[in-house]
Amino acid sequence: MSSTKDKGYVTLNFDELNEKGLDKLKKAISKAGYEVVKITPAGPARRKDGIPVKTFELKGIDEQVMSIQVNNTGDISGIKLNGKNAPYTPVKTMAELGKSLADLFRKGSTAFQKSLSRKLARAAKKDTDGNKPQPSKGVKSGVQMLSDARARRDELKGTIATTQKKIESLSSDSDEAKKSQENIQAALNLEMAKTSQLEKEIAQLKEGTK
């Protein structure tokens, strides 16, 4: 649950930084067009500059991870996206907070996927280096990575097909149906983006396993 505590901007409940307490935040991010698939609850409070703080994590549909530090007053005092500090300006409502975090995820997506692709490419190149002992083991690892990437791609394609069917079934003109369709469309766009990225990774891995 959140409140404004007469500050004019939204805060989080320091004692409820868990999946249940952060459900409204998760939904607000989803309504803003980005899907959070996992919430890692905050652990025990620790002191930073003499102030008790807790940190919880949000894992996105594209594997990005956001760590959010909260003071005992409920104020967000720090955000890290994929291990790097991210900017944050206090906002007035939960909806605005959801949009702010969704925007951070979207901005970080391209860099994150490029970084992931580079890591996979380096791993494939390292594993297939013919000058190293037991090259067959490296080739096998590269082939396995390619197989795993293809499996993930096929799974995503199945999810995309299911999501498209959901969109087609929402033919009602009601506001609720319209909102549901918009949310599902946003999730579909993310799945399609992930599939496209996997296609690129598979192409890179194919080169690495030759």
Side-chain angles (χ1 to χ4, degrees):
M1 188 176 293
S2 65
S3 66
T4 58
K5 294 185 178 181
D6 299 324
K7 294 181 178 181
Y9 53 85
V10 70
T11 58
L12 301 175
N13 190 320
F14 190 70
D15 297 320
E16 294 183 6
L17 300 178
N18 50 42
E19 191 164 358
K20 182 179 179 181
L22 295 168
D23 185 60
K24 287 186 178 180
L25 175 60
K26 180 181 178 181
K27 289 180 178 178
I29 296 173
S30 177
K31 287 182 179 180
Y34 184 85
E35 198 70 25
V36 170
V37 297
K38 181 181 178 181
I39 295 175
T40 301
R46 58 186 178 83
R47 287 190 172 273
K48 184 175 182 181
D49 299 327
I51 299 174
V53 299
K54 290 182 180 179
T55 302
F56 66 91
E57 288 186 350
L58 303 175
K59 184 176 182 180
I61 195 169
D62 57 356
E63 301 296 321
Q64 292 191 82
V65 177
M66 179 179 290
S67 299
I68 301 178
Q69 179 181 283
V70 182
N71 291 346
N72 62 335
T73 56
D75 299 307
I76 293 176
S77 55
I79 294 178
K80 284 189 176 182
L81 181 61
N82 306 319
K84 296 182 179 180
N85 290 327
Y88 172 71
T89 301
V91 292
K92 295 180 180 180
T93 67
M94 182 61 69
E96 289 176 334
L97 177 58
K99 182 179 184 305
S100 177
L101 299 185
D103 287 344
L104 285 177
F105 271 118
R106 279 192 288 267
K107 288 178 182 178
S109 180
T110 301
F112 177 75
Q113 295 300 335
K114 286 183 179 179
S115 175
L116 183 61
S117 296
R118 287 195 296 268
K119 288 179 182 178
L120 286 171
R122 285 198 298 268
K125 184 177 180 180
K126 181 178 180 181
D127 285 342
T128 55
D129 188 344
N131 296 323
K132 294 186 177 181
Q134 298 180 331
S136 59
K137 182 178 180 181
V139 171
K140 182 178 179 181
S141 297
V143 171
Q144 185 61 52
M145 289 173 66
L146 178 57
S147 177
D148 291 345
R150 282 173 170 166
R152 292 199 305 273
R153 177 196 60 187
D154 292 342
E155 182 180 351
L156 282 170
K157 285 184 176 180
T159 302
I160 288 172
T162 301
T163 305
Q164 286 176 327
K165 288 182 180 179
K166 288 182 180 179
I167 292 175
E168 291 171 0
S169 68
L170 290 170
S171 57
S172 172
D173 292 330
S174 70
D175 290 340
E176 183 176 352
K178 184 178 180 180
K179 289 181 180 178
S180 296
Q181 185 172 1
E182 290 174 350
N183 291 337
I184 294 173
Q185 183 65 56
L188 173 61
N189 292 341
L190 286 169
E191 294 292 343
M192 293 178 69
K194 287 174 66 179
T195 301
S196 176
Q197 183 60 38
L198 276 172
E199 293 285 4
K200 293 179 182 178
E201 292 175 17
I202 287 170
Q204 290 177 333
L205 287 169
K206 282 182 180 178
E207 292 296 322
T209 52
K210 287 182 179 178

